[in-house]
């Protein structure tokens, strides 16, 4: 079956612009996670959804970052007033449930470059 | 907050040699997961350990969870070039914390 998909695969934007990154989880997975990964680092947790609600958004670095999952499936990560330091690969993962005891299936990521 | 640390950061081995990476958490973990990320790829789940002192094997890979559930290790016996990649441990707590990873390179 289809895995987790993310679009776009690459996004280049200018400092100060707004960007949206999309994640399509595996069908039927109720939990969805967003991570940010910089070169040579492990994935950095941003936010976790259980269904439509954000169960834990403690990893969002500041109020320029926001994520939604209005129908409990597709999620969008939104970044306002982008800064060069936001450049990274943004990974999305989904799992069958939100107990954190289930394996996470990662998407291929969106590489964001802020010029 | 919870911190997950991994050592070593890099490991270069000759094909056929063994490899071990260690993961340590500042807090007790309910479980720990291990992932592998190939160069240019995304993390892929390897295994989950839940019980104190648990040991699991997958062919040449052996995973251990410490008695205090604060540390874990991954050991690969007789490495092959297909083992190349970065190995991450991840511990759920208030949020999902990944270690910085151990990057393994294997010389044929």
């Amino acid at each position: 079956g289809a895995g987790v998909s993310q679009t776009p695969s690459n996004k280049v934007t200018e400092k100060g612009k707004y960007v949206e990154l999309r994640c399509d989880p595996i069908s039927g997975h109720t939990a969805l996670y967003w991570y940010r990964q910089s070169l040579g680092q492990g994935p950095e947790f941003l936010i976790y959804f259980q269904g439509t609600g954000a169960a834990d958004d403690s990893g969002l670095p500041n109020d320029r970052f926001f994520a939604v999952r209005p129908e409990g499936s597709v999620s969008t990560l939104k970044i306002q007033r982008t800064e060069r330091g936001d450049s990274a690969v943004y990974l999305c993962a989904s799992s069958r449930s939100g107990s954190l005891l289930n394996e996470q299936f990662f998407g291929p990521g969106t590489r964001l470059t802020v010029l | 907050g919870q911190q997950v640390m991994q050592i070593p950061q890099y490991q270069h081995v000759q094909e056929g040699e063994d490899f071990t990476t260690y993961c340590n958490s500042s807090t007790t973990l309910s479980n720990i997961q291990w992932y592998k990320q190939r160069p240019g790829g995304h993390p892929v789940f390897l295994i989950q350990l839940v019980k104190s002192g648990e040991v699991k094997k997958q062919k040449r890979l052996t995973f251990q969870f410490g008695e205090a559930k604060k540390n874990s290790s991954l050991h690969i016996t007789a490495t092959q070039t297909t083992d190349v990649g970065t190995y991450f441990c991840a511990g759920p707590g208030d949020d999902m914390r990944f270690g910085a990873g151990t990057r393994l390179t294997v010389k044929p």
Side-chain angles (χ1 to χ4, degrees):
Chain A
V4 177
S5 62
Q6 292 185 246
T7 54
S9 56
N10 281 283
K11 177 69 177 179
V12 180
T13 191
E14 294 180 342
K15 180 175 178 293
K17 299 291 186 182
Y18 168 83
V19 296
E20 288 189 352
L21 311 179
R22 177 188 168 108
C23 173
D24 281 84
I26 292 173
S27 178
H29 280 194
T30 60
L32 185 145
Y33 309 81
W34 282 100
Y35 297 87
R36 176 169 70 176
Q37 187 174 28
S38 300
L39 191 63
Q41 300 295 317
E44 174 194 1
F45 171 82
L46 296 177
I47 187 169
Y48 149 57
F49 287 91
Q50 177 58 37
T52 60
D56 184 351
D57 64 357
S58 62
L60 294 176
N62 51 60
D63 60 7
R64 295 186 298 105
F65 288 75
F66 189 71
V68 296
R69 195 187 185 198
E71 298 179 355
S73 179
V74 171
S75 176
T76 303
L77 178 65
K78 308 180 181 190
I79 310 175
Q80 299 177 325
R81 304 182 305 279
T82 52
E83 300 177 357
R84 293 192 179 87
D86 298 335
S87 296
V89 175
Y90 287 80
L91 293 166
C92 174
S94 70
S95 66
R96 283 196 309 272
S97 76
S99 68
L100 295 181
L101 294 180
N102 285 301
E103 67 177 282
Q104 296 185 27
F105 294 83
F106 281 81
T110 293
R111 181 176 299 279
L112 175 65
T113 303
V114 182
L115 301 177
Chain B
Q2 178 186 321
Q3 299 288 331
V4 176
M5 295 153 287
Q6 257 185 281
I7 55 170
Q9 188 176 3
Y10 301 98
Q11 186 76 58
H12 179 71
V13 300
Q14 188 77 34
E15 188 173 24
E17 293 181 339
D18 293 355
F19 159 77
T20 305
T21 174
Y22 301 90
C23 180
N24 292 286
S25 170
S26 58
T27 59
T28 301
L29 300 169
S30 58
N31 71 89
I32 195 160
Q33 298 179 353
W34 284 91
Y35 290 79
K36 176 183 178 181
Q37 185 172 22
R38 293 182 184 273
H42 55 274
V44 175
F45 176 84
L46 293 176
I47 208 159
Q48 176 172 276
L49 304 171
V50 179
K51 299 178 183 177
S52 170
E54 188 171 14
V55 178
K56 286 188 177 181
K57 292 189 176 184
Q58 288 180 350
K59 297 183 180 178
R60 295 178 294 104
L61 278 61
T62 302
F63 302 84
Q64 292 188 324
F65 201 10
E67 293 290 341
K69 301 182 76 172
K70 295 179 72 173
N71 58 74
S72 181
S73 65
L74 158 59
H75 179 82
I76 302 178
T77 304
T79 53
Q80 299 175 359
T81 55
T82 53
D83 296 325
V84 164
T86 301
Y87 293 84
F88 294 101
C89 61
D94 293 335
D95 49 51
M96 189 71 166
R97 294 279 182 177
F98 277 74
T102 296
R103 182 177 177 183
L104 173 66
T105 56
V106 180
K107 184 177 181 181

